[in-house]
Amino acid sequence: MSGKLTGKIALVTGGNSGIGLATAQRFVAEGAYVFITGRRQSDLDAAVKQIGKNVTAVQGDVSNLADLDRLFATIKQEQGHLDVIFANAGGGEIAPLGSITEEHFDKTFNTNVKGLLFTVQKALPLLPEGASIILNASTASTVGTKAFSVYSATKAAVRSFARNWILDLKERKIRVNAISPGVVPTPGYTLLGLSEEQVQEFVDSQAITIPLGRVGTPDEIAKAVVFLASDDSSFVNGIELFVDGGMAQV
């Protein structure tokens, strides 16, 4: 690795699996010290073991503001500041219009919108001038997906946050960008309420619609997040970076 994040302190929410874990690994490989969060301690322990060094795991749910307070108190005590935030924690479940429940709506918005917003807001006192914030959005906010309207709406909100927050943080020269992955199979796919066979059928059906002819990998997303976190993107601000094999562009 080239040390693009040498000496940086980073936070990856939802860093215990999938895109979050792949990004945490990339951050450490590029020289950063990384804090990761997740709801399941056993998964966090496994992630720490896999990353191997320069990582601290803090168990918590981003939709729980007390958990966020505990997270940032830990970061302040151990490192004193944050240079990079990858607000990645999120999820969704299949629910077609007509079957959407209040519980489904609240659960999805609490994690993907409320949790992301307060993750960033509560981190602000720890961010120096010139810090980088990356928000995990999705091509789902751009391309319609059957039975996925609530999740897609949350990701449209995430995209909007990036545009607006660059104005709120203008004086501090803090960059905010959104990354929008396409179809990238992760353990989270089984949380959609689909069986492994159904997940594979979905992946196969999507691959043929992607100009590159395949789905992506968590590490391919992670490499794009490293770009947005590093000085390589020093004049990139407020964008939505699609990492989707061209899926949302045709």
Side-chain angles (χ1 to χ4, degrees):
M1 297 293 175
S2 57
K4 292 180 179 181
L5 299 176
T6 298
K8 302 291 188 181
I9 310 299
L11 167 65
V12 178
T13 62
N16 55 331
S17 67
I19 291 169
L21 175 55
T23 301
Q25 289 180 283
R26 280 272 169 189
F27 279 3
V28 169
E30 292 288 355
Y33 190 96
V34 180
F35 290 86
I36 61 171
T37 71
R39 290 177 293 183
R40 295 173 294 279
Q41 188 64 52
S42 60
D43 289 353
L44 285 172
D45 293 342
V48 168
K49 185 176 181 180
Q50 185 170 330
I51 294 168
K53 64 177 182 178
N54 295 336
V55 59
T56 295
V58 181
Q59 187 276 332
D61 182 340
V62 295
S63 67
N64 184 317
L65 301 193
D67 284 358
L68 288 177
D69 288 337
R70 181 166 48 83
L71 165 67
F72 291 116
T74 301
I75 295 172
K76 182 177 181 180
Q77 180 179 358
E78 294 191 7
Q79 294 291 343
H81 74 283
L82 273 175
D83 301 292
V84 177
I85 298 173
F86 180 34
N88 164 72
E93 297 172 352
I94 298 296
L97 185 63
S99 301
I100 296 169
T101 64
E102 183 177 14
E103 180 185 13
H104 168 74
F105 180 93
D106 288 345
K107 179 181 178 181
T108 311
F109 268 83
N110 281 346
T111 299
N112 297 2
V113 181
K114 174 188 170 183
L116 182 144
L117 185 159
F118 285 102
T119 293
V120 173
Q121 181 164 285
K122 287 178 177 292
L124 291 179
L126 296 175
L127 299 180
E129 182 175 294
S132 177
I133 299 169
I134 303 103
L135 313 178
N136 198 359
S138 171
T139 55
S141 69
T142 303
V143 179
T145 306
K146 182 180 179 181
F148 222 31
S149 61
V150 175
Y151 174 86
S152 300
T154 66
K155 294 303 185 176
V158 169
R159 172 62 184 106
S160 181
F161 282 157
R163 285 195 176 100
N164 289 277
W165 289 348
I166 61 172
L167 299 176
D168 294 341
L169 299 173
K170 178 180 177 181
E171 285 73 22
R172 296 175 60 181
K173 298 180 175 61
I174 294 174
R175 298 183 297 114
V176 186
N177 292 291
I179 191 157
S180 282
V183 181
V184 179
T186 69
Y189 273 44
T190 58
L191 300 178
L192 297 174
L194 304 175
S195 67
E196 289 187 11
E197 291 77 13
Q198 289 173 316
V199 169
Q200 191 58 53
E201 288 177 6
F202 171 75
V203 168
D204 292 342
S205 70
Q206 294 299 300
I208 61 175
T209 71
I210 298 171
L212 281 182
R214 63 174 179 85
V215 298
T217 68
D219 190 57
E220 288 179 307
I221 309 303
K223 287 185 283 189
V225 179
V226 167
F227 165 71
L228 292 175
S230 74
D231 289 340
D232 285 352
S233 60
S234 57
F235 200 53
V236 178
N237 199 20
I239 72 158
E240 179 176 16
L241 177 58
F242 289 95
V243 189
D244 64 351
M247 179 182 180
Q249 315 308 316
V250 296

